[in-house]
Structure formats: C-alpha cells, structure tokens
C-alpha cells in the first residue's frame, strides 16, 4: 500500500475513530495497524490528529528595519550610480 493510499484510508477512518467508544476504537485501531503496517502509537497519533493543520500566515520575529522609504531611496540612488560607473569603465 502506497503513501497516498494510506493517507486516503486514514482520512476515511479518522471520523469513524473519533465518534467510536473505547472498545470500538481498539478494534478500529487494530484494523488500521494491520492494513497500513503502522505501529500502534503512531496510528493513535495519526487518527487523533486534526484534519488539517492551519499554518500561521504571520511572519515570525521582528519587523524589517530596512524596509523604510528614507533608507531605500538613497540606497537605490547609490546603486544606480554605481551601475553607471561600472558601465563606463
């Protein structure tokens, strides 16, 4: 069984596992381990994990200090002058 098939099977069985009582969870877990070949602890974590993890779009760390207009404009002028000087030589 390939990775994509295991993932599809996991998605199908996850909702059934979450709704089940403790005895049924044990049976579902045994079946899942037998079919996919996972260790029991890995299967428990996989079946209990959220459907999708939402990634944070906010950047970590402090904001950029150099992305200010009063810093960028002089640097662009210097860069353009340097390119002109290199082109002349």
């Amino acid at each position: 069984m390939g990775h994509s098939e295991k993932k599809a099977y996991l998605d199908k069985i996850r909702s059934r596992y979450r709704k089940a009582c403790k005895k049924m969870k044990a049976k579902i877990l045994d079946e899942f381990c037998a079919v996919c070949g996972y260790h029991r602890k890995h299967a428990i974590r996989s079946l209990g994990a959220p459907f999708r993890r939402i990634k944070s779009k906010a950047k970590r760390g402090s904001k950029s200090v150099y992305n200010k207009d009063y810093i960028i404009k002089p640097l662009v002028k210097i860069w353009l002058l340097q390119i002109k000087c290199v082109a002349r030589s």
Side-chain angles (χ1 to χ4, degrees), residues 19-67:
K19 293 175 187 175
C21 65
K22 191 171 183 177
K23 289 183 181 180
M24 282 303 297
K25 281 186 178 184
K27 289 180 183 179
I28 293 170
L29 194 59
D30 290 337
E31 172 194 336
F32 184 70
C33 290
V35 171
C36 294
Y38 290 144
H39 291 282
R40 194 169 181 86
K41 193 65 179 181
H42 178 72
I44 291 169
R45 289 180 182 145
S46 298
L47 289 169
F51 284 99
R52 291 184 184 147
R53 293 185 180 157
I54 299 169
K55 292 184 179 179
S56 174
K57 293 188 180 193
K59 288 188 175 181
R60 296 175 68 184
S62 59
K63 293 188 177 185
S64 175
V65 178
Y66 305 106
N67 199 12

Side-chain angles (χ1 to χ4, degrees), residues 65-82:
V65 178
Y66 305 106
N67 199 12
K68 307 278 191 230
D69 231 15
Y70 63 88
I71 295 175
I72 298 292
K73 284 184 180 180
L75 288 176
V76 169
K77 286 182 182 179
I78 293 169
W79 182 66
L80 290 174
L81 286 172
Q82 190 177 13

